[in-house]
Amino acid sequence: MRALLLTSALAVAELSSADPLPAHARAVADYDIHVRLDAEAKTLAGQERITWRNTGSEPVTELWFHLYLNAFQNSESTFFKESGGQLRGDRMPDEGWGFVEVKSARRADGVDLAPGGSFEHPDDDNAADRTVWRLPLPAPVPAGGELVLDVEFEAKLPRVFARTGYFRDYFLVGQWFPKLGVYEPAGTRGRAGSGWNCHQFHANSEFYADFGRYRVEITLPQRFVVGATGRRSERRENPDGTATHVYEQADVIDFAWTASPRFLEVGTRFSADGDVTPQEYAEVAAQLGRSLDEVRLSDVDVTVLLQPEHRAQSERHLRAAKAAIKWFGLWYGRYPYPTLTIVDPAFGARGSGGMEYPTFITAGTSVLFNRWPFDRMLLPEGVIVHEFGHQYWQSMVASNEFEESWLDEGFNSYSTGRVMQLVYGPWMLQAFGLRLGGLEAAQLSNSVERMFDRVRTPAWGFSSSGNYGFNSYARTELTLRTLEALAGPQTVARAMRTYHERFRFGHPSSDDFYAVVSEVAGRDMSGFFAQTIERPGILDYEVSLVRSEQVDEPRGVFGAGAARTGVTKKQAREKERQAEAAGERPWRSTVMVRRRGEVALPVSLRLEYEGGARQTLALVEREREGASVEQAGILADARASEPWRGRFKRLELTSERRLVSATVDPEEHLKLDVNRLNNARRVTPDGRASARWGSRFVFWLQQILALSGV
Ligand SMILES: [Zn+2]
């Protein structure tokens, strides 16, 4: 049913528009907010008018809200318990608590519904957590109907250590207003019935929201420089010494803002004509199979709110922002908003760095990066490109980061890695003769310790925060890189583009992505994702044995009766000498490839012979062995690997030349391989003799031990 609906929706889209990128989101939740900052008390007083539309086919009898500042309320919140009061190396400061309280929630008729509200904890049994609030409605909102609610709230900002709050007179105000969860009509992300999806605030996840139009009036002392989601439409000074800044933006899922009197405001304009060459447009259009119009970008005003001590890095920040707008836009679809604001957090408020909100991101740098050798380390650039990437893989394609963080963080790690490599070269870090690339860093974080978790896991459900990080970021990047090698870079580029176009301003699930990849590839790719995303396990192929020896002439007694003949050892040796002199004595080689991990993918084996001759075989753990990797496709299921004897494959080969070495995955296609050191093995010069000696020695040792009764 769902597939049918999708197909007919696509048919309509094709008929009605040449551009597959939707111009606007369906406005589900609009917010008109007036907020006043008390810069001394670090408090907010706000009123918001929420207009919510029921896009489902059933009446809705309650609303679910995020009250996320309550994550910072005390040591009993789920966030605090999960994080242990520290995140990304920063500790919760003493007495830096923050919270938000709904004072009233009135319908148009003035009736206050707030007294009927209750705190819910759908993810754990933590009754002390107050980050999710359920508000029953006296009258249901009918299917297709609309509800207007006036909410009055007060908040105390936490002292910044994670994501949001204040440090002296620097404010980063995120997750601050009572905000609706996502009402998912049946069929959304594969769910059977309709209902709210509204998770608690966790150490590792915080985003899943619906699209709408935001208009926010921020009032605070006039000395503050302000930045926020969207475009500033007005700034007016009030008689009481405050100023009111008005920001507006449609088609977004959230709103954040910042204020500090110290910000140095630098800006530039990304130009669709000036920053992209005609050749770049043409190349991307050809790779993606799209028209030039479809890949065409639009102009963006970029503002960086820098700390003054980072003035020397302003060009670095602007260049990274432009690179991100350009390449994400070319690959996945143009950035549709007129502004991008980048905040450089104050020293002492690093915890608010590296965050993403619609059209508004926070960077992260230090005075260290002003100077050699740190000026050659691309961490500030990497953070900007990554946080910008969330515009694509969280804000526009609004996947559920709580339940499927890989669709957000992982897609972003993969995309960021590609932008960084293209614009800055392969090395993220270069100093004192050492170099480290982003991809190498991801590979280095892979190990057999990663075998326990599956990628598609709720963010709070991993075996450790390290395994949350690896699976959500690096493992996804390595998986998509592996897919590039197996399905071809063009297929993956087109699949990512199609997925973004189809789900821009939507809420896709992992299954939606698998379906797009199969559709674009023209074959069922679900087996690849079943192994790499849906099931735990690691990928590790090894060459465990390489042996090569000359073929001996037969000796002994042959035939029967009168025809019986004998070949002595001496005669056999003589024949061998003659064959060798004539260059006709063949070599017999044995190679064993073993799969140490659970993941089975097509892999090639390169054999290298004396004199430099090479041979590459495709090894597929199924009936189509011998086909090339491209032809063989992706295994439907690792369990279909029985034609190998279990998880190993022994090859017996006869050749004119001696085999020197064997290498599994010589092209390094399988970026997910946890151990590349075991991928190649050389024939030891006298392997047979030493093996015999070895086994004889072990035999005698065993005999001696047995006799001595040890
Ligand atoms: Zn991220």
Side-chain angles (χ1 to χ4, degrees), residues 369-445:
F369 291 100
N370 289 345
R371 267 183 230 98
W372 189 88
F374 302 100
D375 59 347
R376 303 195 61 197
M377 297 188 176
L378 299 171
L379 297 175
E381 285 85 351
V383 174
I384 289 172
V385 174
H386 178 93
E387 304 311 332
F388 177 80
H390 283 299
Q391 302 298 316
Y392 282 76
W393 305 126
Q394 172 52 229
S395 291
M396 286 189 261
V397 172
S399 45
N400 188 330
E401 190 225 354
F402 293 92
E403 297 177 17
E404 300 169 288
S405 53
W406 76 285
L407 291 179
D408 176 19
E409 296 294 0
F411 277 41
N412 198 17
S413 296
Y414 165 78
S415 314
T416 300
R418 290 188 65 213
V419 173
M420 292 303 291
Q421 194 165 2
L422 186 67
V423 177
Y424 295 98
W427 310 116
M428 282 291 286
L429 303 177
Q430 293 188 72
F432 314 114
L434 299 174
R435 292 166 152 184
L436 182 66
L439 187 59
E440 283 74 17
Q443 285 179 296
L444 280 174
S445 64

Side-chain angles (χ1 to χ4, degrees), residues 19 23 27 53 100-101 121 136 139 141 150 198 252 260 309 354 389 449 488 498 523 555 625 627 658:
D19 192 339
R53 297 168 190 94
V100 60
E101 199 177 325
H121 32 89
V141 184
D150 285 310
C198 192
V252 290
S260 164
E309 64 269 27
E449 284 303 303
T498 304
R523 56 194 156 104
R555 58 199 164 90
E625 185 181 323
R658 179 170 173 265

Side-chain angles (χ1 to χ4, degrees), residues 129-350:
D129 191 73
R130 292 159 71 95
T131 59
V132 171
W133 192 58
R134 185 172 66 91
L135 186 65
L137 300 172
V141 184
E146 189 176 287
L147 175 79
V148 177
L149 200 67
D150 285 310
V151 178
E152 197 185 340
F153 63 96
E154 284 177 5
K156 165 86 170 65
L157 294 169
R159 226 184 101 176
V160 168
F161 90 102
R163 300 169 184 161
T164 186
Y166 71 90
F167 180 74
R168 297 188 180 138
D169 55 1
Y170 162 87
F171 295 87
L172 194 291
V173 188
Q175 308 288 13
W176 54 284
F177 57 97
K179 189 173 124 188
L180 289 167
V182 176
Y183 178 76
E184 296 183 323
T188 310
R189 298 186 317 111
R191 69 181 289 162
S194 305
W196 286 94
N197 190 301
C198 192
H199 291 287
Q200 293 158 253
F201 193 89
H202 290 274
N204 292 328
S205 59
E206 59 195 308
F207 294 111
Y208 185 44
D210 243 319
F211 292 91
R213 174 181 296 278
Y214 283 76
R215 185 181 182 284
V216 180
E217 293 202 1
I218 303 161
T219 300
L220 72 183
Q222 285 170 10
R223 68 178 192 279
F224 280 92
V225 179
V226 177
T229 293
R231 185 188 276 292
R232 184 163 64 192
S233 56
E234 192 188 342
R235 180 186 183 277
R236 56 175 190 267
E237 300 200 340
N238 307 313
D240 64 353
T242 61
T244 298
H245 304 247
V246 185
Y247 286 85
E248 294 179 68
Q249 186 61 57
D251 309 323
V252 290
I253 58 162
D254 200 359
F255 187 99
W257 55 283
T258 188
S260 164
R262 280 168 43 84
F263 280 140
L264 182 71
E265 196 169 324
V266 295
T268 188
R269 188 173 176 81
F270 172 82
S271 160
D273 288 325
D275 288 308
V276 189
T277 65
Q279 192 189 346
E280 285 169 333
Y281 276 125
E283 281 172 8
V284 169
Q287 194 205 23
L288 297 175
R290 298 289 193 276
S291 71
L292 284 172
D293 278 348
E294 283 168 24
V295 298
R296 172 130 191 106
L297 305 184
S298 35
D299 293 358
V300 183
D301 285 324
V302 180
T303 304
V304 180
L305 299 171
L306 264 182
Q307 299 299 318
E309 64 269 27
H310 302 149
R311 184 190 301 266
Q313 297 173 37
S314 62
E315 278 311 309
R316 290 180 64 178
H317 280 65
L318 294 172
R319 184 183 171 212
K322 280 189 162 191
I325 293 170
K326 173 175 170 173
W327 291 107
F328 274 90
L330 286 172
W331 291 334
Y332 309 124
R334 77 184 65 82
Y335 179 73
Y337 309 108
T339 63
L340 173 67
T341 300
I342 300 172
V343 182
D344 173 21
F347 183 79
R350 294 260 174 74

